Amino acid sequence: MNGNRFAVALFGLLVAVVIGFLAYQFIAPLTISVFLYYSTRRYHQALRRFHLPANVRAAIVMTSLAVPLLLLVSYATVLLIIEARQFIEDYALIDVANENLEWFGGVNGLPELTVQGLYEAYQSGDLAPFIDFATQHAEFLTTLVSGFFLNMFIVVIVTYYLLVDGDRIRAWLHGFGEDAIVREYLDAVDEELEAVLFGNLLNVLAVSLIAIGSFSVYNTFVPAAAEVPYPALAGALTGIASLIPVVGMKIVYVPVTLITAIPIVLGGDPANLAYVGAFFVVAVVVVDTIPDLVLRPLLSGKRTHVGLLMLAYTLGPVVLGFYGLFFAPIVLVIGLTFADTALPPLLDPEKRPNASQRANSGREPEAAAAGEEGGTPGAGDDVGDPL
């Protein structure tokens, strides 16, 4: 019997190693999936009031995320192409490229951004250098594009099924130990991850609204030459950039300030630079500093120290790369919650949760709410979405 148990344990360890190795190969999309799950779980639960199945609610959540993001990226890309084309024409960069880049030779000008314009450019040979460049680097471009879509596919699928099957995963994790300490720790980690990561989403939305409002109000009081270009887009990108550690929103409003100031410096009224300076002050104080001091402590979770969380956001990308921005806070929450919840009872058995605490710790939040309202979830629906 012991031999059989050892064989089963060895086989399970081998399977766990293989699964862990495969998961590590896709650690970035899996981490982003966990971040999106905890960021949107309350929204997914709020849709329960419409008596929708879990899978329909998950689809609504994913669509609500994808459509605005796709529109924002598309809008930003179109504006970037238009402005870049105008900049290239204004400063005759085509001639500079012809003189310094061999593969660029033969291009006389940029085509019109229409189907007819691109077709005429193709017939005249102006697109030939670009086609040759893409052909020579086809393998790299194919790998880059396919890798991007593969990671996006993983993010969508994993996030969707975390939203749909979160209660089953929670029950499975609870099954690993009947000890109240295990249940209390798992519930505390789940609650704190939701508080921290959902707080990130709220912070992005709040900063975006503050930035859009500030930039739009600024434009109403300044001359046209000193107006911020595309204030709604700049504000939305500023909110998204608040997730980036250290530089954060500066990666957006500093270039916007320079873009606004350059035409004035090159040939405008120097007096308008005062308005640009005022815009920079507004961006630093109203958009960057005040929300960081007021909102971030309120949205940083219940147990996790704000300073440690900021260090996690800062050091995570430095050590792990981009996905460290999400992975490091998750690891921090798991570690600090263990030290706060599970470690004291392990060191001092007298601090172990009593029977009533054990019962409450294993009770599903949604189930408790349903019980208080006197109703029961519909058949086939998830009892509680929390992981």
Side-chain angles (χ1 to χ4, degrees):
M1 183 64 180
N2 291 336
N4 291 337
R5 291 173 62 90
F6 176 77
V8 172
L10 185 61
F11 176 76
L13 179 61
L14 178 62
V15 171
V17 169
V18 173
I19 294 176
F21 173 78
L22 294 176
Y24 178 74
Q25 304 304 309
F26 300 98
I27 185 67
L30 292 177
T31 301
I32 295 175
S33 298
V34 173
F35 168 78
L36 291 177
Y37 165 68
Y38 278 107
S39 298
T40 59
R41 192 172 69 181
R42 292 187 186 180
Y43 177 29
H44 183 258
Q45 294 172 353
L47 293 175
R48 183 188 294 271
R49 69 188 62 181
F50 299 106
H51 305 288
L52 298 173
N55 57 344
V56 175
R57 287 185 279 129
I60 293 175
V61 170
M62 299 300 295
T63 304
S64 301
L65 286 177
V67 172
L69 183 60
L70 182 62
L71 292 176
L72 178 63
V73 172
S74 301
Y75 180 52
T77 302
V78 170
L79 291 181
L80 180 62
I81 293 174
I82 293 175
E83 294 297 329
R85 185 178 187 277
Q86 186 64 41
F87 180 78
I88 291 172
E89 291 180 348
D90 291 343
Y91 293 93
L93 296 183
I94 292 291
D95 297 334
V96 176
N98 279 324
E99 294 175 0
N100 295 277
L101 299 175
E102 292 184 4
W103 65 270
F104 201 83
V107 177
N108 300 318
L110 294 178
E112 294 292 332
L113 298 178
T114 61
V115 175
Q116 182 65 25
L118 293 175
Y119 178 71
E120 291 176 355
Y122 174 77
Q123 285 186 319
S124 64
D126 284 344
L127 294 183
F130 301 100
I131 296 174
D132 293 339
F133 180 83
T135 302
Q136 294 173 6
H137 299 83
E139 182 178 355
F140 170 76
L141 295 175
T142 302
T143 302
L144 186 65
V145 173
S146 61
F148 172 78
F149 282 105
L150 175 61
N151 287 329
M152 287 298 298
F153 177 77
I154 294 173
V155 168
V156 171
I157 294 298
V158 174
T159 304
Y160 173 83
Y161 281 106
L162 281 176
L163 289 171
V164 172
D165 296 324
D167 60 317
R168 295 183 179 89
I169 299 174
R170 179 189 176 98
W172 177 72
L173 290 175
H174 278 173
F176 279 96
E178 293 296 329
D179 199 320
I181 297 177
V182 176
R183 286 177 173 268
E184 183 185 15
Y185 171 65
L186 291 175
D187 290 339
V189 168
D190 183 61
E191 179 183 356
E192 187 65 9
L193 281 175
E194 179 178 3
V196 170
L197 300 182
F198 181 68
N200 279 340
L201 180 62
L202 291 181
N203 185 74
V204 169
L205 294 176
V207 171
S208 296
L209 293 176
I210 293 172
I212 292 173
S214 300
F215 298 167
S216 300
V217 170
Y218 165 83
N219 278 359
T220 61
F221 290 99
V222 301
E227 288 183 354
V228 174
Y230 312 110
L233 175 62
L237 293 177
T238 300
I240 296 174
S242 65
L243 286 173
I244 302 174
V246 185
V247 293
M249 293 169 269
K250 300 175 185 63
I251 200 173
V252 175
Y253 69 73
V254 169
V256 168
T257 303
L258 295 176
I259 291 172
T260 307
I262 287 175
I264 299 175
V265 173
L266 293 179
D269 184 359
N272 288 331
L273 289 176
Y275 293 107
V276 179
F279 164 76
F280 185 74
V281 172
V282 169
V284 171
V285 177
V286 178
V287 179
D288 196 345
T289 304
I290 293 179
D292 192 62
L293 294 176
V294 176
L295 292 178
R296 195 172 293 277
L298 296 176
L299 303 175
S300 295
K302 302 176 182 179
R303 302 173 184 266
T304 308
H305 192 275
V306 178
L308 292 177
L309 193 60
M310 291 300 296
L311 282 176
Y313 283 123
T314 302
L315 299 179
V318 174
V319 178
L320 302 173
F322 170 74
Y323 76 91
L325 178 64
F326 309 103
F327 188 78
I330 293 174
V331 173
L332 177 68
V333 168
I334 293 173
L336 291 182
T337 306
F338 177 83
D340 185 57
T341 305
L343 187 59
L346 291 174
L347 298 178
D348 186 359
E350 294 182 359
K351 295 183 179 180
R352 296 169 68 90
N354 56 36
S356 61
Q357 290 175 322
R358 175 179 175 176
N360 291 332
S361 67
R363 192 180 186 192
E364 293 288 339
E366 294 291 333
E372 292 172 0
E373 295 174 1
T376 57
D381 200 5
D382 49 334
V383 176
D385 292 320
L387 184 63

mmCIF file with all atom_site columns, all heavy atoms in Angstrom, residues 271-282:
data_model
loop_
_atom_site.group_PDB
_atom_site.id
_atom_site.type_symbol
_atom_site.label_atom_id
_atom_site.label_alt_id
_atom_site.label_comp_id
_atom_site.label_asym_id
_atom_site.label_entity_id
_atom_site.label_seq_id
_atom_site.pdbx_PDB_ins_code
_atom_site.Cartn_x
_atom_site.Cartn_y
_atom_site.Cartn_z
_atom_site.occupancy
_atom_site.B_iso_or_equiv
_atom_site.pdbx_formal_charge
_atom_site.auth_seq_id
_atom_site.auth_comp_id
_atom_site.auth_asym_id
_atom_site.auth_atom_id
_atom_site.pdbx_PDB_model_num
ATOM 1  N N   . ALA A 1 271 ? 4.713  84.156 -25.907 1.00 0.00 ? 271 ALA A N   1
ATOM 2  C CA  . ALA A 1 271 ? 3.867  84.353 -24.732 1.00 0.00 ? 271 ALA A CA  1
ATOM 3  C C   . ALA A 1 271 ? 2.996  83.134 -24.449 1.00 0.00 ? 271 ALA A C   1
ATOM 4  O O   . ALA A 1 271 ? 2.586  82.898 -23.308 1.00 0.00 ? 271 ALA A O   1
ATOM 5  C CB  . ALA A 1 271 ? 2.996  85.595 -24.919 1.00 0.00 ? 271 ALA A CB  1
ATOM 6  N N   . ASN A 1 272 ? 2.714  82.360 -25.493 1.00 0.00 ? 272 ASN A N   1
ATOM 7  C CA  . ASN A 1 272 ? 1.886  81.167 -25.302 1.00 0.00 ? 272 ASN A CA  1
ATOM 8  C C   . ASN A 1 272 ? 2.597  80.070 -24.519 1.00 0.00 ? 272 ASN A C   1
ATOM 9  O O   . ASN A 1 272 ? 1.953  79.125 -24.061 1.00 0.00 ? 272 ASN A O   1
ATOM 10 C CB  . ASN A 1 272 ? 1.443  80.623 -26.666 1.00 0.00 ? 272 ASN A CB  1
ATOM 11 C CG  . ASN A 1 272 ? 0.405  81.498 -27.331 1.00 0.00 ? 272 ASN A CG  1
ATOM 12 O OD1 . ASN A 1 272 ? -0.368 82.171 -26.652 1.00 0.00 ? 272 ASN A OD1 1
ATOM 13 N ND2 . ASN A 1 272 ? 0.406  81.517 -28.657 1.00 0.00 ? 272 ASN A ND2 1
ATOM 14 N N   . LEU A 1 273 ? 3.909  80.182 -24.385 1.00 0.00 ? 273 LEU A N   1
ATOM 15 C CA  . LEU A 1 273 ? 4.635  79.185 -23.578 1.00 0.00 ? 273 LEU A CA  1
ATOM 16 C C   . LEU A 1 273 ? 4.212  79.220 -22.119 1.00 0.00 ? 273 LEU A C   1
ATOM 17 O O   . LEU A 1 273 ? 4.328  78.217 -21.410 1.00 0.00 ? 273 LEU A O   1
ATOM 18 C CB  . LEU A 1 273 ? 6.147  79.420 -23.698 1.00 0.00 ? 273 LEU A CB  1
ATOM 19 C CG  . LEU A 1 273 ? 6.779  79.080 -25.052 1.00 0.00 ? 273 LEU A CG  1
ATOM 20 C CD1 . LEU A 1 273 ? 8.257  79.449 -25.054 1.00 0.00 ? 273 LEU A CD1 1
ATOM 21 C CD2 . LEU A 1 273 ? 6.605  77.591 -25.363 1.00 0.00 ? 273 LEU A CD2 1
ATOM 22 N N   . ALA A 1 274 ? 3.713  80.372 -21.672 1.00 0.00 ? 274 ALA A N   1
ATOM 23 C CA  . ALA A 1 274 ? 3.216  80.455 -20.290 1.00 0.00 ? 274 ALA A CA  1
ATOM 24 C C   . ALA A 1 274 ? 2.010  79.536 -20.099 1.00 0.00 ? 274 ALA A C   1
ATOM 25 O O   . ALA A 1 274 ? 1.860  78.900 -19.046 1.00 0.00 ? 274 ALA A O   1
ATOM 26 C CB  . ALA A 1 274 ? 2.855  81.901 -19.957 1.00 0.00 ? 274 ALA A CB  1
ATOM 27 N N   . TYR A 1 275 ? 1.165  79.461 -21.123 1.00 0.00 ? 275 TYR A N   1
ATOM 28 C CA  . TYR A 1 275 ? 0.009  78.565 -21.033 1.00 0.00 ? 275 TYR A CA  1
ATOM 29 C C   . TYR A 1 275 ? 0.465  77.102 -21.016 1.00 0.00 ? 275 TYR A C   1
ATOM 30 O O   . TYR A 1 275 ? -0.098 76.276 -20.274 1.00 0.00 ? 275 TYR A O   1
ATOM 31 C CB  . TYR A 1 275 ? -0.927 78.792 -22.227 1.00 0.00 ? 275 TYR A CB  1
ATOM 32 C CG  . TYR A 1 275 ? -1.585 80.139 -22.228 1.00 0.00 ? 275 TYR A CG  1
ATOM 33 C CD1 . TYR A 1 275 ? -1.180 81.123 -23.125 1.00 0.00 ? 275 TYR A CD1 1
ATOM 34 C CD2 . TYR A 1 275 ? -2.615 80.435 -21.348 1.00 0.00 ? 275 TYR A CD2 1
ATOM 35 C CE1 . TYR A 1 275 ? -1.776 82.363 -23.145 1.00 0.00 ? 275 TYR A CE1 1
ATOM 36 C CE2 . TYR A 1 275 ? -3.229 81.680 -21.358 1.00 0.00 ? 275 TYR A CE2 1
ATOM 37 C CZ  . TYR A 1 275 ? -2.806 82.649 -22.251 1.00 0.00 ? 275 TYR A CZ  1
ATOM 38 O OH  . TYR A 1 275 ? -3.402 83.879 -22.260 1.00 0.00 ? 275 TYR A OH  1
ATOM 39 N N   . VAL A 1 276 ? 1.475  76.787 -21.816 1.00 0.00 ? 276 VAL A N   1
ATOM 40 C CA  . VAL A 1 276 ? 1.997  75.421 -21.821 1.00 0.00 ? 276 VAL A CA  1
ATOM 41 C C   . VAL A 1 276 ? 2.589  75.070 -20.463 1.00 0.00 ? 276 VAL A C   1
ATOM 42 O O   . VAL A 1 276 ? 2.419  73.963 -19.964 1.00 0.00 ? 276 VAL A O   1
ATOM 43 C CB  . VAL A 1 276 ? 3.047  75.249 -22.941 1.00 0.00 ? 276 VAL A CB  1
ATOM 44 C CG1 . VAL A 1 276 ? 3.608  73.831 -22.940 1.00 0.00 ? 276 VAL A CG1 1
ATOM 45 C CG2 . VAL A 1 276 ? 2.443  75.566 -24.296 1.00 0.00 ? 276 VAL A CG2 1
ATOM 46 N N   . GLY A 1 277 ? 3.293  76.024 -19.872 1.00 0.00 ? 277 GLY A N   1
ATOM 47 C CA  . GLY A 1 277 ? 3.815  75.802 -18.521 1.00 0.00 ? 277 GLY A CA  1
ATOM 48 C C   . GLY A 1 277 ? 2.701  75.570 -17.515 1.00 0.00 ? 277 GLY A C   1
ATOM 49 O O   . GLY A 1 277 ? 2.822  74.726 -16.617 1.00 0.00 ? 277 GLY A O   1
ATOM 50 N N   . ALA A 1 278 ? 1.601  76.313 -17.664 1.00 0.00 ? 278 ALA A N   1
ATOM 51 C CA  . ALA A 1 278 ? 0.453  76.110 -16.775 1.00 0.00 ? 278 ALA A CA  1
ATOM 52 C C   . ALA A 1 278 ? -0.136 74.710 -16.962 1.00 0.00 ? 278 ALA A C   1
ATOM 53 O O   . ALA A 1 278 ? -0.542 74.064 -15.983 1.00 0.00 ? 278 ALA A O   1
ATOM 54 C CB  . ALA A 1 278 ? -0.598 77.177 -17.052 1.00 0.00 ? 278 ALA A CB  1
ATOM 55 N N   . PHE A 1 279 ? -0.171 74.262 -18.224 1.00 0.00 ? 279 PHE A N   1
ATOM 56 C CA  . PHE A 1 279 ? -0.665 72.897 -18.466 1.00 0.00 ? 279 PHE A CA  1
ATOM 57 C C   . PHE A 1 279 ? 0.207  71.865 -17.759 1.00 0.00 ? 279 PHE A C   1
ATOM 58 O O   . PHE A 1 279 ? -0.301 70.913 -17.152 1.00 0.00 ? 279 PHE A O   1
ATOM 59 C CB  . PHE A 1 279 ? -0.697 72.607 -19.964 1.00 0.00 ? 279 PHE A CB  1
ATOM 60 C CG  . PHE A 1 279 ? -0.828 71.143 -20.284 1.00 0.00 ? 279 PHE A CG  1
ATOM 61 C CD1 . PHE A 1 279 ? -2.046 70.500 -20.149 1.00 0.00 ? 279 PHE A CD1 1
ATOM 62 C CD2 . PHE A 1 279 ? 0.274  70.403 -20.703 1.00 0.00 ? 279 PHE A CD2 1
ATOM 63 C CE1 . PHE A 1 279 ? -2.167 69.142 -20.422 1.00 0.00 ? 279 PHE A CE1 1
ATOM 64 C CE2 . PHE A 1 279 ? 0.153  69.054 -20.980 1.00 0.00 ? 279 PHE A CE2 1
ATOM 65 C CZ  . PHE A 1 279 ? -1.069 68.425 -20.835 1.00 0.00 ? 279 PHE A CZ  1
ATOM 66 N N   . PHE A 1 280 ? 1.509  72.041 -17.830 1.00 0.00 ? 280 PHE A N   1
ATOM 67 C CA  . PHE A 1 280 ? 2.414  71.086 -17.182 1.00 0.00 ? 280 PHE A CA  1
ATOM 68 C C   . PHE A 1 280 ? 2.194  71.082 -15.680 1.00 0.00 ? 280 PHE A C   1
ATOM 69 O O   . PHE A 1 280 ? 2.192  70.013 -15.040 1.00 0.00 ? 280 PHE A O   1
ATOM 70 C CB  . PHE A 1 280 ? 3.864  71.451 -17.505 1.00 0.00 ? 280 PHE A CB  1
ATOM 71 C CG  . PHE A 1 280 ? 4.862  70.464 -16.994 1.00 0.00 ? 280 PHE A CG  1
ATOM 72 C CD1 . PHE A 1 280 ? 5.027  69.228 -17.608 1.00 0.00 ? 280 PHE A CD1 1
ATOM 73 C CD2 . PHE A 1 280 ? 5.631  70.746 -15.871 1.00 0.00 ? 280 PHE A CD2 1
ATOM 74 C CE1 . PHE A 1 280 ? 5.942  68.301 -17.134 1.00 0.00 ? 280 PHE A CE1 1
ATOM 75 C CE2 . PHE A 1 280 ? 6.545  69.830 -15.385 1.00 0.00 ? 280 PHE A CE2 1
ATOM 76 C CZ  . PHE A 1 280 ? 6.697  68.606 -16.018 1.00 0.00 ? 280 PHE A CZ  1
ATOM 77 N N   . VAL A 1 281 ? 1.986  72.244 -15.079 1.00 0.00 ? 281 VAL A N   1
ATOM 78 C CA  . VAL A 1 281 ? 1.726  72.321 -13.637 1.00 0.00 ? 281 VAL A CA  1
ATOM 79 C C   . VAL A 1 281 ? 0.421  71.609 -13.297 1.00 0.00 ? 281 VAL A C   1
ATOM 80 O O   . VAL A 1 281 ? 0.339  70.857 -12.312 1.00 0.00 ? 281 VAL A O   1
ATOM 81 C CB  . VAL A 1 281 ? 1.687  73.790 -13.181 1.00 0.00 ? 281 VAL A CB  1
ATOM 82 C CG1 . VAL A 1 281 ? 1.221  73.882 -11.724 1.00 0.00 ? 281 VAL A CG1 1
ATOM 83 C CG2 . VAL A 1 281 ? 3.057  74.429 -13.337 1.00 0.00 ? 281 VAL A CG2 1
ATOM 84 N N   . VAL A 1 282 ? -0.603 71.831 -14.108 1.00 0.00 ? 282 VAL A N   1
ATOM 85 C CA  . VAL A 1 282 ? -1.881 71.154 -13.879 1.00 0.00 ? 282 VAL A CA  1
ATOM 86 C C   . VAL A 1 282 ? -1.716 69.640 -13.968 1.00 0.00 ? 282 VAL A C   1
ATOM 87 O O   . VAL A 1 282 ? -2.248 68.882 -13.141 1.00 0.00 ? 282 VAL A O   1
ATOM 88 C CB  . VAL A 1 282 ? -2.930 71.644 -14.899 1.00 0.00 ? 282 VAL A CB  1
ATOM 89 C CG1 . VAL A 1 282 ? -4.183 70.760 -14.858 1.00 0.00 ? 282 VAL A CG1 1
ATOM 90 C CG2 . VAL A 1 282 ? -3.309 73.085 -14.617 1.00 0.00 ? 282 VAL A CG2 1
#
